[in-house]
Amino acid sequence: MLNGKRDYLESSPGVTEVTILEKAPAERHMISSWEQKNNCVLPEDVKNFYLMTNGFHMTWSVKLDEHVIPLGSMAINSISKLTQLNQSSMYSLPNAPTLADLEDDTQEGSENQPEKPHFDSRSVIFELDPCNGNGKVCLVYKRGKPALAQDTEIWFLDRALYWHFLTDTFTAYYRLLITHLGLPQWQYAFTSYGISPQAKQWFSMYKPITYNTNLLTEEADSFVNKLDPSKVFKSKNKTLIPKKKGPVQPAGGQKGPSGPPSTPKSSSGSGNPVRK
């Protein structure tokens, strides 16, 4: 699937430097050791992923003029970096706040939204993807330790430490990750406030398969420019347009009809300008 996405990206306008860092498969004893250490049973789809590759990181850039800009990033942590969110003090000071101090039991789940994870012992949370600093995608055990595989869900923790549900299974999340091409802030498309205007520019250019185009509302159209990749990344080779020659005046002092003399049109005059 990764190689297929690589071919797709390399054929997209302006995309360059598509790289995939895949790792050797994890050994079964590494998975067993992780489960024993954390007192958690990994879901079968997560185990199968690590038995194929012990994490990966795929990046791609775009070339604008002569500048290469890093843009897309897709990552799944290796099993050694599948670490639990730190519940200890956030600062090395006595009586400093912890993540558990941020608990807000007033924001519980509803019929349309699952119950949110908890930073205290009620949930066990592991980081799957650091999202380039835009938040964290987490594997969440909803029932605490000892944690069972059927109690897992995938959630997005934004930079304000609010939770947003993504998928029920790791397989479903993996498909979301791949089909959204690792575009910046794509996880925010699953939040109530959506992606930023800048991210919408990239979304409108590369249009992920699963992206809900309804999120690009008419209100957003007022401040989001519509970019056409074929025009943004087109070659700068100029096409010379031959100039039309005017009528040649006959030699000699031939008398013409009375009236003001004609003046040649300058290139800066009115009319349709020739695009150089």
Side-chain angles (χ1 to χ4, degrees):
M1 184 178 288
L2 286 178
N3 289 329
K5 281 299 172 186
R6 180 175 188 168
D7 295 339
Y8 170 79
L9 284 168
E10 288 179 339
S11 64
S12 299
V15 174
T16 184
E17 297 183 2
V18 182
T19 61
I20 303 177
L21 177 59
E22 289 188 275
K23 301 180 181 179
E27 301 290 339
R28 289 190 178 273
H29 71 83
M30 297 171 63
I31 296 176
S32 300
S33 175
W34 185 95
E35 292 179 322
Q36 293 174 5
K37 174 184 176 182
N38 294 284
N39 197 15
C40 298
V41 179
L42 282 173
E44 285 301 316
D45 54 358
V46 178
K47 290 182 183 180
N48 292 335
F49 170 81
Y50 282 122
L51 290 173
M52 290 188 297
T53 177
N54 192 8
F56 79 96
H57 189 197
M58 181 174 181
T59 60
W60 54 280
S61 305
V62 294
K63 190 171 184 180
L64 296 175
D65 294 331
E66 300 301 321
H67 303 285
V68 175
I69 303 173
L71 187 63
S73 176
M74 293 176 268
I76 299 290
N77 285 339
S78 64
I79 194 164
S80 62
K81 293 184 178 179
L82 187 62
T83 54
Q84 188 173 352
L85 283 191
N86 191 7
Q87 295 181 0
S88 63
S89 174
M90 291 186 290
Y91 307 96
S92 57
L93 298 173
N95 302 321
T98 65
L99 287 174
D101 295 325
L102 299 175
E103 280 298 320
D104 183 6
D105 290 332
T106 61
Q107 295 186 350
E108 294 296 337
S110 61
E111 294 181 359
N112 300 324
Q113 183 73 15
E115 180 184 352
K116 290 179 169 55
H118 300 281
F119 290 116
D120 56 24
S121 60
R122 286 175 288 178
S123 301
V124 189
I125 305 166
F126 296 93
E127 180 183 316
L128 279 173
D129 180 3
C131 304
N132 279 346
N134 291 316
K136 296 179 186 295
V137 171
C138 299
L139 174 68
V140 177
Y141 290 83
K142 302 295 290 294
R143 299 291 177 262
K145 294 183 179 181
L148 303 178
Q150 61 265 28
D151 294 331
T152 57
E153 293 172 343
I154 309 298
W155 286 73
F156 175 58
L157 180 65
D158 68 21
R159 294 183 63 182
L161 300 180
Y162 286 101
W163 288 105
H164 309 275
F165 177 77
L166 291 179
T167 61
D168 289 313
T169 65
F170 173 79
T171 300
Y173 168 71
Y174 184 75
R175 289 171 180 163
L176 277 185
L177 172 66
I178 298 300
T179 53
H180 279 80
L181 307 177
L183 283 164
Q185 305 173 17
W186 72 264
Q187 296 89 353
Y188 283 88
F190 296 87
T191 67
S192 58
Y193 29 87
I195 59 178
S196 68
Q198 183 180 12
K200 286 180 182 179
Q201 298 279 13
W202 298 115
F203 270 71
S204 66
M205 290 178 66
Y206 292 104
K207 294 181 177 64
I209 298 172
T210 61
Y211 181 60
N212 184 2
T213 54
N214 292 332
L215 296 178
L216 293 175
T217 60
E218 294 182 359
E219 180 181 354
D221 289 342
S222 61
F223 58 86
V224 175
N225 293 328
K226 299 289 186 177
L227 298 180
D228 184 352
S230 62
K231 294 181 179 179
V232 173
F233 302 109
K234 70 179 181 179
S235 174
K236 289 192 172 183
N237 296 331
K238 298 180 180 179
T239 303
L240 296 178
I241 301 176
K243 295 182 178 180
K244 294 181 179 180
K245 295 182 179 181
V248 179
Q249 294 291 336
Q254 191 174 13
K255 292 183 180 180
S258 59
S262 61
T263 57
K265 294 183 179 179
S266 64
S267 60
S268 61
S270 59
N272 295 327
V274 177
R275 186 173 296 174
K276 295 183 180 181

